[in-house]
Amino acid sequence: AQSVTQPDIHITVSEGASLELRCNYSYGATPYLFWYVQSPGQGLQLLLKYFSGDTLVQGIKGFEAEFKRSQSSFNLRKPSVHWSDAAEYFCAVASTGGFKTIFGAGTRLFVKA
Amino acid sequence: ETGVTQSPTHLIKTRGQQVTLRCSSQSGHNTVSWYQQALGQGPQFIFQYYREEENGRGNFPPRFSGLQFPNYSSELNVNALELDDSALYLCASSSRSGTGDYGYTFGSGTRLTVV
């Protein structure tokens, strides 16, 4: 069965510092992997996605993620965090065919001045 | 291009009642998925509709049901509401293709409170 683990419930970084949010997945075949961001009281916005090919994926808002099959990981990174990046971040995995996307429990990002 | 629209935005119901939540898909999308997000948790998959048929279901009881219409809009119906049904209900549309979905576009959700 598919599953997603986000080990960090919350992370605090200083504005301008780099960021890495961890995500580990469990899936038997090549997964479809996603990162979404959710601001308070809002729906989720797709940041980036990986299906195949280059394992380093670029997304919106300056985010990138790297797929590492050997580690079953898909970590999200940003070189310099802005205060507006404070939000909840969700990693998700979908099976080939794309139905039933499974979400992790999320990581809350706090940004301090 | 229009996004995903959900209505109503907030709703308060009494235990035992029934509720219908509505979702209009993004233009060009043919698949609708519904998720339940309890406070402080990630979204939990309820079910997905493709070509007006249920195309997969999560661990939710039959009192959770849905519909998809020819224009790809959708409804989520919940009967016999329980207190634990209080949550943010998210609708997500996507475009099914031969190689799978390409990520969801989410609505802002309906906040359901059961008292």
Side-chain angles (χ1 to χ4, degrees), chain A residues 20 33 48-59 62-69 73-79:
Chain A
E20 183 169 29
L33 295 162
L48 49 78
K49 58 200 175 194
Y50 171 79
F51 295 144
S52 64
D54 193 348
T55 57
L56 186 62
V57 180
Q58 301 298 319
F63 286 93
E64 66 178 26
E66 186 171 13
F67 171 59
K68 293 186 177 180
R69 184 187 302 275
S73 69
F74 188 58
N75 294 348
L76 182 71
R77 300 194 294 247
K78 187 170 185 178

Side-chain angles (χ1 to χ4, degrees), chain A residues 32 36 38 49 51 98 101, chain B residues 35 37 48 99 101-102 104:
Chain A
Y32 290 7
Y36 289 84
Q38 184 178 35
K49 58 200 175 194
F51 295 144
T101 299
Chain B
Y35 284 81
Q37 187 178 23
Q48 183 181 85
T99 55
D101 291 345
Y102 289 96
Y104 290 146

Side-chain angles (χ1 to χ4, degrees), chain A residues 2 34 36 92-94 98-103, chain B residues 35 45 101 104:
Chain A
Q2 303 158 241
F34 308 86
Y36 289 84
V93 61
F99 102 101
K100 193 179 179 181
T101 299
I102 302 299
F103 288 81
Chain B
Y35 284 81
F45 177 74
D101 291 345
Y104 290 146

